[in-house]
Amino acid sequence: MQLGPVKTHGRTQNVVIDVDTGVDDALALLFAVRHPGLRVHAITCVAGNAAVEQVVRNTLTVLEHADAPPIPVAAGAARPLIAPPHDASHVHGRDGMADLGLPPSPRKPDPRHAVELLRDVLRDAAEPVTLIALAPLTNIALLARTYPEAMQRLERIVVMGGTASTGNATPVAEFNAWHDPEAAAIVFAAGVPVTMYGLDVFYRVGVAAAGCDKLAAHEHRSARLAGQLLRHQLRTAAGEARTELGMATIGDAGAVCAVADPAGLVTAHLPVQVELAPGFGRGQTVVDRRARSGEQELHGMAAPAARLDVAIDVDAARYGDLFLSTILGEPGTS
Ligand code: BDR
Ligand code: CA
C-alpha cells in the first residue's frame, strides 16, 4: 500500500547523512527519506553501534523497507582514528538493529569509500548541503583532513553527539563523542558551522506507546519497521528517561527533525572542547556556559575552543508529532 503525502513548508534541503545504524539511526533514515522537505543525496556508514559491514547491511535494509529512491550508501571507517572500536550491541542488539530477523536487502552498496562519496556529492552539489552526522565522527574527520575543500562546501553540520550535562557511555561522555573523541575535536574545529544535538535534548523526543502500536500494526512495512524499532526502544535501556514515561525515544531521528523543522530547537552559541586525555573524562564535550571568564582566561591558560550551536532545549511534543505524522503519512497535530 501507499503512504499518504506529508505537507512541508519552506525550501527543500539537500542533506547527506552519516550513520552507524543502529536502532535510532534506522528511525532517522525512515524519517529522512519520508520527509518531503529533505532530499537525501548520500548515506555514509561508520563503525559505532555495530561493525561497519553490519551498519551498511542495516542501512540498505532500512532503505528497502522504506521504498526509498536509489540513494548511494557507502562504507567508511571500520574503527576510530586512534582508539579501538567498541560496539553498542547491549543497546541495539547483536545485529545492531534490534535482531528483528529482517531479510537481506537486494540493494548494493556504492563501491566508493564513504569519504570519496562525500567528496563527490559535495563537489557536484549545485545548492547548499547540510550534513547530518548521527554516529562517531570518524568519516567526517577523515573528510576534513583528506578533502578540506569539499568539507568547506558544507552549509552546516548537525551532529548527534556530545552533552552539556550527563553522559551515557561514561558519566560525562556521550557515546558518539566517546567512541572517537579525536574525530569530534577535528570536526568541531574545521570551520564549518556545527549544531550539537546532544544528550541534553536527545532522550526527550519520543512517541507514546499508543503511537508505537499504531505504527506496528500499519499496512506499510516502513511504518511497521518504525513501530518495531520503537517497541525495542521501550523495552531496552536505549529509551532511557522517556521509557520511564511510557514514551519510546526516537533518538537520532530527533536530529533530523531539527533539520526539517529548526524552529523546534533552542540553541546557544557556546565554546565547546572535547576532552582527549586518557581517563575518566575522555570523550566529554566541555561546554562553557559561564556568564563571564574565569581564572583560566585571566592567567592566559585557556585553549582556543570552537563555538557551536549547542541544543539546550527542544519542543519534544512538536518533534514527536512531526516524526509520527511523517512516518504515517498523516497531517501532524502541531
Ligand atoms: C548515540 O549513540 C548511539 O547508540 C545512538 O545511535 C546515538 O547516535 C547516542 O549516544
Ligand atoms: Ca547513531
Side-chain angles (χ1 to χ4, degrees):
M1 82 160 279
Q2 294 292 309
L3 288 164
V6 180
K7 287 210 181 86
T8 183
H9 307 283
R11 69 175 170 116
T12 299
Q13 298 188 70
N14 299 294
V15 302
V16 290
I17 309 180
D18 190 71
V19 289
D20 60 338
T21 321
V23 171
D24 58 324
D25 305 74
L27 293 167
L29 292 170
L30 290 171
F31 174 81
V33 300
R34 277 286 300 149
H35 195 284
L38 303 177
R39 181 155 170 237
V40 184
H41 290 261
I43 300 169
T44 51
C45 300
V46 68
N49 291 325
V52 70
E53 300 80 14
Q54 186 63 43
V55 170
V56 172
R57 279 196 287 277
N58 292 347
T59 300
L60 294 171
T61 297
V62 171
L63 295 180
E64 184 65 12
H65 269 70
D67 290 332
I71 298 169
V73 173
R79 52 161 293 171
L81 296 181
I82 294 176
H86 299 284
D87 71 32
S89 52
H90 65 292
V91 173
H92 295 265
R94 281 186 309 280
D95 72 354
M97 217 172 71
D99 295 319
L100 298 174
L102 301 172
S105 171
R107 297 177 185 227
K108 300 284 175 238
D110 192 282
R112 287 169 285 187
H113 187 279
V115 174
E116 310 293 334
L117 174 59
L118 288 172
R119 186 264 322 260
D120 291 352
V121 168
L122 293 171
R123 181 195 57 205
D124 298 342
E127 293 174 352
V129 177
T130 292
L131 166 65
I132 307 175
L134 305 176
L137 287 162
T138 321
N139 283 343
I140 315 309
L142 291 170
L143 176 73
R145 286 291 189 258
T146 316
Y147 301 114
E149 70 291 348
M151 183 87 171
Q152 294 308 319
R153 299 203 69 191
L154 283 167
E155 183 176 37
R156 69 174 177 132
I157 309 175
V158 175
V159 170
M160 188 290 122
T163 173
S165 49
T166 309
N168 55 3
T170 80
V172 295
E174 179 279 333
F175 176 83
N176 290 336
W178 169 82
H179 199 257
D180 198 343
E182 282 76 17
I186 289 170
V187 171
F188 291 176
V192 178
V194 170
T195 299
M196 186 178 111
Y197 186 95
L199 293 186
D200 314 282
V201 291
F202 177 84
Y203 290 118
R204 292 180 46 203
V205 183
V207 174
C212 302
D213 293 343
K214 191 171 177 185
L215 287 165
H218 203 278
E219 287 178 88
H220 196 284
R221 61 181 178 169
S222 170
R224 279 204 306 280
L225 176 57
Q228 288 174 297
L229 294 166
L230 286 165
R231 282 178 165 174
H232 172 90
Q233 299 285 77
L234 273 177
R235 280 194 304 268
T236 69
E240 298 275 334
R242 302 307 285 174
T243 306
E244 292 159 26
L245 302 174
M247 302 277 282
T249 181
I250 66 170
D252 286 346
V256 189
C257 292
V259 175
D261 179 21
L265 195 69
V266 179
T267 62
H269 199 58
L270 296 168
V272 180
Q273 311 232 40
V274 185
E275 176 58 81
L276 302 178
F280 295 128
R282 183 165 162 81
Q284 180 178 12
T285 44
V286 180
V287 179
D288 189 350
R289 302 180 75 168
R290 295 174 297 173
R292 60 180 67 82
S293 52
E295 279 66 20
Q296 206 182 28
E297 290 74 22
L298 291 172
H299 300 302
M301 298 160 68
R307 283 182 172 263
L308 313 186
D309 294 313
V310 178
I312 53 171
D313 200 4
V314 65
D315 187 336
R318 176 174 172 144
Y319 282 178
D321 285 352
L322 176 65
F323 177 84
L324 188 58
S325 60
T326 300
I327 300 291
L328 288 171
E330 295 172 355
T333 55
S334 60

